[in-house]
Amino acid sequence: MTYARQTDALLRQLSIAPFHDALIAAAPGRVDLETWSVIVEQAARFAQGVVDPLDATLDAVGARLVDGRVVTAPGHRAAWAQFAGDGWLTLALPEEAGGQGLPLLLTTACEELFNRASAAFTMLATPNRTAAAMIAGAADAATCETWVPKLASGEWTATICISEPDAGSDVGRIRTRAQRDADGTWRVTGEKCWISYGDHDLGARIGHCMLARTSDAPGARGLSLFLVPSVSGDGASNGVHVRRIEEKLGLHGSPTCVMGFEHAAATLIGAPDRGLQTLFHMMLLMRLSCAPQGVGVAEAALSTALGYARERRQGGDPAAPPVAITAHTDVQRQLLRMAGRVEVTRGIALAAATVMDLVECAPPADRAGWSALAQFLLPIAKDMSARLAFDVSSEALQVLGGAGYTREWPVERRLRDARVFAVFEGTSGIQALDLVHRRLWRDRGEGLHRFIAAARADCDDGAEAVVLAAVLDRLEAVAAIFSGWPAEPREAEAGATAFLELCGLAVGGWIALRLVRFGGDDGVGRRLAAAARFMLAELPARVETEASLALLGAARLDGFADYFAD
């Protein structure tokens, strides 16, 4: 199917995104819906015409390790060159860094279209633009002048290098070490794993944004951030080696590499022993990009399921021709549930992007508040989108029946690609623990309270407002109990994932209310409202389930030792 329905929904949601007025006031001249419409439509044409046809080849051929270098699939290099040459890496990059200075909100919308076409292809774009933004804000002038234009043009690319064989989410256990030579040059030695696009033939040089230990201070306090080029300025080896490409369930076109660094020359970015803090902004931007990634893949699966259901004919009066399966109640339920989750999660992604924009451009006195709200929304946007992609792909396969299980249809590819989304950039469990330990306990729930205040401001009248108000009441009651558990962390941690889901349902209910209220009376608006009303109809039951699970406590884990005893 074409990208027209998705484009229409994106443009409508862009125009009614939460905090849209605040962004207009804080960034005059940067919010121009007429210009944005042109850009989004161009992104849709590029995604559908160039990237989408490539995805099947990326999946089937993948990437290969040949003589120590990664070779990508046929057509990948040409598509990347066109993508970069058309300026898609520069949308949100500041103008002073050679970018277009447009809001993250617009980038998020475009990334959803590119991810629908191919999540594997789009995974290279995210570290490129986020590394350029990080370097522009934290590196010395010479490094900025050398790297930012090359990353923005796509001539050079970037990775984020954190994980090691014994240090994944627990970054404080990183062992890769950086030391200074007698001439002052930093040299990095160690092993890194799970590095997306750790090597490839799409650019002439790769900059690895790497955390490495520079002191013996325990945990993250001894880590510094370095930019480690794959090759030296003259093209000579810089001691960076590909150990292997991982054999994966999906995302075959995105090479996931185990990398070795042997006395590799590196440039310090930011202050020594402050690496995690320096890298933090890039990490937040990459986490935000997980949201349009998940929504884009879910949209692709939904589009396939809807097209198939309209054409597939089964059942009905035996004396009459069979009917399209869209006539069957359960198929309608499945399709509408998929659509409702896609539209609501799209709205959450755009809301999170808008708040991230406001963190940067709002009046200085307001930025701390917007930052608290962003920290609350990001784990929700990331986790909901990640699970959405897999769930909708699975439900789409169900609609297609046995056909969906075959490679004749792209749904099984979406399912395979999407499974990792809830793993990288922080697993669902990590997101849930972050929400409880940092956002609720350390920050005293400031972001949660700001969300509830914004949502209650929309609960003025109507049946949908009554539903949402009750959901917010339930969320506040559960959050109050969680807030009293810092001294009993196991009680809260046992229900943290359910609490994250509860928060996501509440934010989704708010988005659904706004879609019904502000989506419009035309065909696009009616589609959005239909999807949103389905979500609101099921919302109270789902909220009660997650609230009950969140408060169930740790007693249900008492049998763990007995069951798993050696």
Side-chain angles (χ1 to χ4, degrees):
M1 296 179 70
T2 71
Y3 283 45
R5 288 173 64 94
Q6 181 185 8
T7 304
D8 289 342
L10 269 169
L11 290 173
R12 184 60 51 83
Q13 290 222 39
L14 278 173
S15 70
I16 62 172
F19 315 116
H20 189 84
D21 292 343
L23 183 59
I24 292 174
R30 293 178 63 195
V31 180
D32 180 348
L33 290 175
E34 185 175 344
T35 300
W36 288 14
S37 295
V38 173
I39 293 172
V40 170
E41 288 166 359
Q42 288 176 339
R45 284 193 292 271
F46 183 86
Q48 183 174 353
V50 178
V51 183
D52 198 316
L54 177 64
D55 193 51
T57 300
L58 296 182
D59 181 64
V61 177
R64 298 172 297 122
L65 191 60
V66 179
D67 297 329
R69 292 300 310 276
V70 174
V71 177
T72 56
H76 199 162
R77 188 184 305 183
W80 172 254
Q82 186 176 348
F83 177 87
D86 286 353
W88 295 113
L89 294 169
T90 67
L91 287 180
L93 199 62
E95 292 180 20
E96 57 270 23
Q100 301 176 52
L102 294 167
L104 277 171
L105 176 58
L106 179 60
T107 296
T108 300
C110 293
E111 281 193 341
E112 184 192 310
L113 291 157
F114 299 139
N115 276 292
R116 171 183 172 172
S118 174
F121 177 88
T122 308
M123 282 188 68
L124 179 58
T126 299
N128 241 57
R129 66 172 183 80
T130 57
M134 183 271 293
I135 292 169
D140 60 79
T143 302
C144 289
E145 291 171 5
T146 301
W147 279 90
V148 173
K150 294 289 190 179
L151 292 175
S153 71
E155 184 178 345
W156 295 354
T157 64
T159 74
I160 185 167
C161 273
I162 299 177
S163 295
E164 297 181 7
D166 296 317
S169 300
D170 189 0
V171 297
R173 300 188 187 276
I174 283 175
R175 294 188 296 179
T176 295
R177 170 109 16 204
Q179 295 177 317
R180 265 186 161 170
D181 282 350
D183 64 359
T185 302
W186 285 99
R187 299 277 179 179
V188 170
T189 299
E191 302 285 320
K192 295 289 184 178
C193 58
W194 312 120
I195 310 305
S196 297
Y197 284 94
D199 190 61
H200 54 79
D201 55 3
L202 306 176
R205 201 179 192 193
I206 303 169
H208 300 285
C209 300
M210 178 188 301
L211 289 177
R213 193 160 296 283
T214 48
S215 78
D216 293 326
R221 287 178 289 171
L223 299 176
S224 301
L225 177 62
F226 293 91
L227 180 62
V228 184
S230 58
V231 294
S232 302
D234 59 2
S237 172
N238 188 36
V240 179
H241 306 280
V242 186
R243 303 299 192 207
R244 70 173 185 271
I245 303 175
E246 301 290 1
E247 296 289 338
K248 300 177 299 184
L249 178 68
L251 295 176
H252 297 154
S254 169
T256 302
C257 302
V258 176
M259 305 294 297
F261 299 85
E262 300 172 2
H263 209 53
T267 299
L268 178 68
I269 306 294
D273 297 343
R274 298 279 296 174
L276 195 58
Q277 293 87 339
T278 307
L279 190 60
F280 189 62
H281 184 60
M282 181 179 177
M283 293 169 65
L284 288 182
L285 292 174
M286 292 189 69
R287 187 169 293 179
L288 175 64
S289 276
C290 293
Q293 180 182 62
V295 177
V297 171
E299 176 70 45
L302 170 60
S303 178
T304 300
L306 179 59
Y308 181 90
R310 285 172 167 169
E311 297 295 328
R312 177 65 167 163
R313 298 189 174 275
Q314 288 281 284
D317 184 347
V323 298
I325 63 173
T326 50
H328 299 309
T329 302
D330 192 56
V331 173
Q332 293 176 2
R333 179 193 61 81
Q334 291 178 76
L335 290 170
L336 202 51
R337 174 168 162 75
M338 285 188 269
R341 291 187 65 186
V342 166
E343 294 299 344
V344 163
T345 312
R346 172 178 289 137
I348 294 174
L350 296 177
T354 305
V355 174
M356 288 281 285
D357 280 318
L358 287 163
V359 171
E360 298 295 325
C361 68
D366 298 335
R367 292 182 186 178
W370 288 118
S371 180
L373 183 56
Q375 296 290 347
F376 171 73
L377 289 175
L378 276 174
I380 294 169
K382 190 275 180 187
D383 183 62
M384 285 191 70
S385 301
R387 289 185 294 106
L388 171 83
F390 184 78
D391 291 349
V392 171
S393 296
S394 181
E395 290 170 3
L397 192 153
Q398 191 75 17
V399 171
L400 269 69
Y405 198 65
T406 70
R407 292 196 174 182
E408 180 182 359
W409 295 89
V411 170
E412 61 85 29
R413 187 196 323 155
R414 311 299 183 195
L415 187 74
R416 289 186 286 104
D417 285 351
R419 184 58 188 90
V420 75
F421 296 169
V423 175
F424 60 42
E425 300 300 328
T427 64
S428 296
I430 291 292
Q431 304 297 333
L433 292 175
D434 176 80
L435 188 64
V436 172
H437 280 267
R438 291 190 175 93
R439 307 310 152 208
L440 195 59
W441 293 346
R442 189 191 68 184
D443 299 346
R444 300 181 181 275
E446 182 181 355
L448 169 66
H449 299 322
R450 287 180 177 273
F451 154 67
I452 290 176
R456 288 203 186 278
D458 286 329
C459 290
D460 47 8
D461 55 40
E464 294 86 3
V466 172
V467 170
L468 180 59
V471 167
L472 296 174
D473 289 343
R474 188 69 166 120
L475 173 59
E476 283 188 307
V478 173
I481 295 172
F482 265 68
S483 295
W485 275 342
E488 302 175 89
R490 186 170 169 83
E491 294 297 316
E493 288 170 358
T497 299
F499 181 69
L500 173 63
E501 175 69 6
L502 175 62
C503 291
L505 288 169
V507 178
W510 175 50
I511 296 296
L513 170 68
R514 293 179 58 88
L515 293 178
V516 171
R517 184 168 295 178
F518 307 125
D521 295 327
D522 60 355
V524 176
R526 288 193 296 273
R527 286 203 302 271
L528 296 180
R533 286 196 174 99
F534 180 92
M535 294 298 293
L536 287 165
E538 292 194 340
L539 188 62
R542 296 187 181 281
V543 163
E544 190 53 43
T545 297
E546 298 302 332
S548 298
L549 288 172
L551 298 177
L552 202 55
R556 65 190 191 272
L557 304 178
D558 289 347
F560 179 86
D562 291 335
Y563 188 87
F564 292 102
D566 292 336

